[in-house]
Amino acid sequence: MPIPFPLPDPPTLYHPTPLLAELRANDPVTQVEFPDGKRAWLVTRYADVRTVMMDARFSRAAASSPDQPQMGLGALASESLIAKDPPEHTRLRRLVARAFTHRRVEELRPRVAEVVADLIAGLRKQPEPADLVENFSLPLPVQVICDLLGVPAGDRDRFHGWSDAVMGNWERDQAIMVGGFTELGRYFAELIAEKRAHPGDDLMTGLIAARDEHDKLTEEELVTLGIGLLIGGHETTANQINMFLLTLREHPDQLALLRSDPALLETGVEELMRFTQLGNSVSSMIRVTTEAVELSGVTIPAGAPVMPALGVANRDPAVFADPDRLDVTRADNPHIGFGAGAHHCLGAQLARMELQEALRGLLHGLPNLRIVADDADLVFKPTMIVRSLHTLPVAWS
């Protein structure tokens, strides 16, 4: 019998739901059933999850079919980068990948450190406790991605509400999600018209040139690329900053290590990516098999939707020593928090750098920073597929 999906919520914010660990150990490839009766295969072991994300027999494009189960953004972006397979995916990704290389990201680091310092200075001027979401964790990635794309940062309130709608849970009213996606499309159509009239030194201007001068993408692809970059460039990073700090509060020894040794920020961010639970631990990017595939002794038939469970795969004891322990000094850490294969997060290098600089600023610029709310008092945005806080009250004196 298939297991009802979504799975039960975990008892805490800091570990996957226990059922996922049980499945990983005893039934790593199992069928689940959605509330509408559609079924999918849930994959929980690290090796199998990597196969699902890297093997061409698991198709993202096929998952965009309306007869397949849909989750969050994957339900809407059938024309976007995340919903395509090579070679179309390769063509579109190549157009934007140069903006996210390690070298280009490192060139941005001083600017990001400057934004972090400015936000912390502004935070200090607020009465305590102050909201970290409004004053730091959201405006930081918004400023960075807006600078990169050439989007006016003053438009944050407009596009963030639409982004919240698009990133909603697949169980909510689909009209709300579609409405948010439509409004973002209109916004980017207006922005593209403005950039055509007044080109700038930014990624959107470059993509417009690729469209107008070289015919390398369609107008619709241009709009959906912009939407995907904007949403992916701020929503997830803001949530990571918040959840990293909450996770570190639960592990004061690891927090003390990061505060005492800034050199650990690089391994610390990788470990927090592995360990921190950012949502329901199951990727919203469903794949569909193009032929029968065997995983862990189970044959998944052709045409079957498959969901990789990244959060519990990153706790697989076959790969990670003492996997349920947070260790910011962990050197051997092949986590898949940014995905793998063709759909490995395009902005992973940018996100890593932003998270390093955010933690550097908060933990060393505000050495007494503390969260002044218990877990039971935290308020998360409802019906979001990612764990997204409304507010995070902090003090620092």
Side-chain angles (χ1 to χ4, degrees):
M1 288 291 293
I3 298 170
F5 193 89
L7 303 179
D9 289 334
T12 77
L13 300 174
Y14 308 106
H15 300 282
T17 185
L19 177 57
L20 281 169
E22 294 175 18
L23 291 172
R24 187 187 61 209
N26 303 312
D27 194 8
V29 181
T30 189
Q31 270 200 311
V32 296
E33 184 170 275
F34 291 83
D36 64 2
K38 292 179 181 176
R39 294 184 180 184
W41 292 87
L42 180 64
V43 178
T44 49
R45 286 184 181 164
Y46 179 93
D48 293 335
V49 167
R50 275 187 63 86
T51 297
V52 171
M53 292 190 291
M54 298 184 71
D55 193 316
R57 294 174 297 174
F58 296 88
S59 168
R60 274 292 303 139
S64 300
S65 169
D67 63 339
Q68 297 292 348
Q70 300 293 346
M71 298 168 64
L73 187 58
L76 301 171
S78 60
E79 294 302 317
S80 72
L81 189 63
I82 61 174
K84 293 187 182 296
D85 295 330
E88 284 296 288
H89 176 272
T90 308
R91 173 180 63 85
L92 292 174
R93 187 178 176 107
R94 189 176 290 133
L95 290 172
V96 294
R98 69 190 64 166
F100 298 98
T101 64
H102 179 75
R103 180 182 64 81
R104 291 292 298 274
V105 166
E106 286 305 309
E107 290 172 354
L108 291 172
R109 189 182 289 270
R111 170 59 180 155
V112 173
E114 179 184 334
V115 174
V116 166
D118 289 346
L119 290 172
I120 288 176
L123 185 65
R124 286 181 178 275
K125 295 177 182 177
Q126 301 293 321
E128 299 180 62
D131 178 17
L132 193 77
V133 174
E134 179 64 24
N135 293 286
F136 185 87
S137 53
L138 183 58
L140 171 61
V142 164
Q143 184 65 59
V144 172
I145 197 62
C146 285
D147 285 352
L148 192 65
L149 286 174
V151 173
D155 288 348
R156 183 189 81 179
D157 290 340
R158 292 177 67 195
F159 68 66
H160 188 64
W162 300 327
S163 173
D164 274 0
V166 171
M167 291 292 286
N169 191 294
W170 68 97
E171 291 182 286
R172 71 183 295 170
D173 184 356
Q174 291 288 305
I176 296 175
M177 299 173 67
V178 172
F181 199 80
T182 301
E183 290 300 323
L184 276 169
R186 288 175 182 155
Y187 173 82
F188 266 94
E190 294 171 3
L191 179 68
I192 289 164
E194 175 65 22
K195 293 287 180 186
R196 280 193 171 112
H198 304 96
D201 182 20
D202 53 64
L203 181 55
M204 280 308 299
T205 298
L207 290 174
I208 291 166
R211 162 75 181 116
D212 294 351
E213 299 170 19
H214 308 292
D215 198 28
K216 291 185 176 179
L217 69 166
T218 68
E219 193 75 8
E220 186 174 13
E221 287 170 339
L222 180 60
V223 170
T224 53
L225 269 176
I227 294 172
L229 290 167
L230 183 65
I231 294 175
H234 83 278
E235 191 77 48
T236 303
T237 305
N239 295 333
Q240 286 167 331
I241 293 169
N242 298 328
M243 291 306 301
F244 281 10
L245 290 175
L246 284 166
T247 299
L248 287 169
R249 181 177 69 171
E250 293 298 299
H251 299 83
D253 59 326
Q254 301 302 297
L255 176 59
L257 276 175
L258 288 178
R259 279 186 165 140
S260 66
D261 186 359
L264 289 175
L265 281 170
E266 186 172 333
T267 57
V269 164
E270 298 306 311
E271 176 68 346
L272 286 162
M273 278 298 307
R274 181 193 73 84
F275 187 88
T276 302
Q277 301 299 299
L278 298 172
N280 63 9
S281 301
V282 177
S283 172
S284 63
M285 297 298 111
I286 294 174
R287 274 77 167 169
V288 169
T289 51
T290 59
E291 61 183 77
V293 185
E294 183 177 310
L295 295 176
S296 288
V298 176
T299 298
I300 302 175
V306 181
M307 298 189 299
L310 274 64
V312 72
N314 274 331
R315 302 283 189 97
D316 191 334
V319 179
F320 303 98
D322 201 0
D324 291 318
R325 179 174 67 89
L326 180 70
D327 177 9
V328 298
T329 69
R330 191 185 296 269
D332 183 16
N333 192 353
H335 72 80
I336 46 177
F338 288 114
H343 287 280
H344 179 268
C345 176
L346 180 65
Q349 293 292 350
L350 181 62
R352 284 185 168 101
M353 184 269 286
E354 286 186 62
L355 292 166
Q356 291 165 12
E357 293 304 317
L359 289 180
R360 190 190 316 278
L362 292 171
L363 301 185
H364 303 290
L366 294 171
N368 296 317
L369 181 74
R370 61 196 183 280
I371 298 166
V372 291
D374 295 331
D375 287 354
D377 298 323
L378 296 173
V379 179
F380 292 89
K381 297 175 185 177
T383 64
M384 293 284 282
I385 199 167
V386 293
R387 188 170 277 139
S388 185
L389 278 162
H390 264 300
T391 60
L392 187 62
V394 295
W396 54 89
S397 350

